[in-house]
Amino acid sequence: MSFGAFECEAATGSEIDREALLAIKAQIRKDPLGALISWNDTLPFCMWLGVTCISRDQRVMFLDLSSLNLEGSVSPFIGNLSYLVGINFQVNNLDGEIPHEIGNLFNLQLLNLSYNSFQGSIPVSIDSLPNLKVLWLNKNSHRKHPTFTWESLFAYGSLFSSEQS
């Protein structure tokens, strides 16, 4: 589609995923192990450390950045990774609030943010994730937890959020 001197194209799903991953990297203040050094234009994003893709669609399916000593926060653009079924960010130094945009990830089955320094409230949007089976939020600094429905609590195969640091 063309508008005068500007051409507009709809971004492909894989381009949206790539941009979301770069936004996640941009929120990392310290990467002492150089874990995200491969997150650049020299490699396809499906080959970046910690990124697992669905091969036929080249969409991000799993994001595992656990135990990398990363310092920073989680970008709200994580909510654009619509094919994501798992997030494992445990044992880092991530802080700030858990972005409510995680509630956009309707395919998400596993969310492990334990052993970090997240603060504030746990987003209520997590309760609306229809496929979430494992939710680990222990060892963070949440001030208050959302009120989960009994239905959602029974749906989670594993729920760890009661232990605080």
Side-chain angles (χ1 to χ4, degrees):
M1 186 177 291
S2 181
F3 294 99
F6 299 102
E7 296 227 357
C8 297
E9 289 183 31
T12 64
S14 60
E15 182 61 22
I16 291 169
D17 284 7
R18 183 183 159 285
E19 292 299 321
L21 291 170
L22 290 173
I24 290 167
K25 179 184 178 183
Q27 293 294 111
I28 301 301
R29 293 184 304 273
K30 287 188 182 176
D31 177 9
L33 303 177
L36 304 183
I37 201 163
S38 66
W39 288 37
N40 59 53
D41 289 330
T42 61
L43 286 174
F45 68 84
C46 289
M47 297 179 72
W48 294 352
L49 180 73
V51 177
T52 303
C53 291
I54 301 169
S55 59
R56 69 172 157 53
D57 296 326
Q58 296 299 292
R59 300 297 304 270
V60 179
M61 183 177 85
F62 202 92
L63 197 49
D64 184 359
L65 300 179
S66 60
S67 303
L68 296 175
N69 295 326
L70 299 174
E71 291 184 25
S73 58
V74 177
S75 170
F77 287 97
I78 197 165
N80 291 346
L81 297 171
S82 59
Y83 281 63
L84 209 54
V85 296
I87 298 171
N88 186 1
F89 288 176
Q90 72 173 334
V91 192
N92 280 294
N93 294 304
L94 301 175
D95 56 26
E97 294 196 7
I98 298 169
H100 69 87
E101 289 83 358
I102 285 179
N104 297 339
L105 302 174
F106 295 111
N107 294 311
L108 197 64
Q109 296 176 25
L110 177 140
L111 177 59
N112 187 349
L113 302 176
S114 59
Y115 294 91
N116 279 287
S117 299
F118 290 109
Q119 301 166 345
S121 299
I122 298 169
V124 176
S125 60
I126 289 175
D127 189 35
S128 64
L129 294 171
N131 296 304
L132 192 64
K133 301 292 182 238
V134 178
L135 175 62
W136 290 341
L137 303 173
N138 54 311
K139 299 296 184 184
N140 280 288
S141 303
H142 305 295
R143 288 190 302 267
K144 63 181 189 177
H145 298 286
T147 303
F148 290 102
T149 64
W150 280 107
E151 195 172 87
S152 64
L153 285 174
F154 285 123
Y156 299 135
S158 196
L159 172 66
F160 294 103
S161 66
S162 61
E163 297 179 38
Q164 302 303 308
S165 58

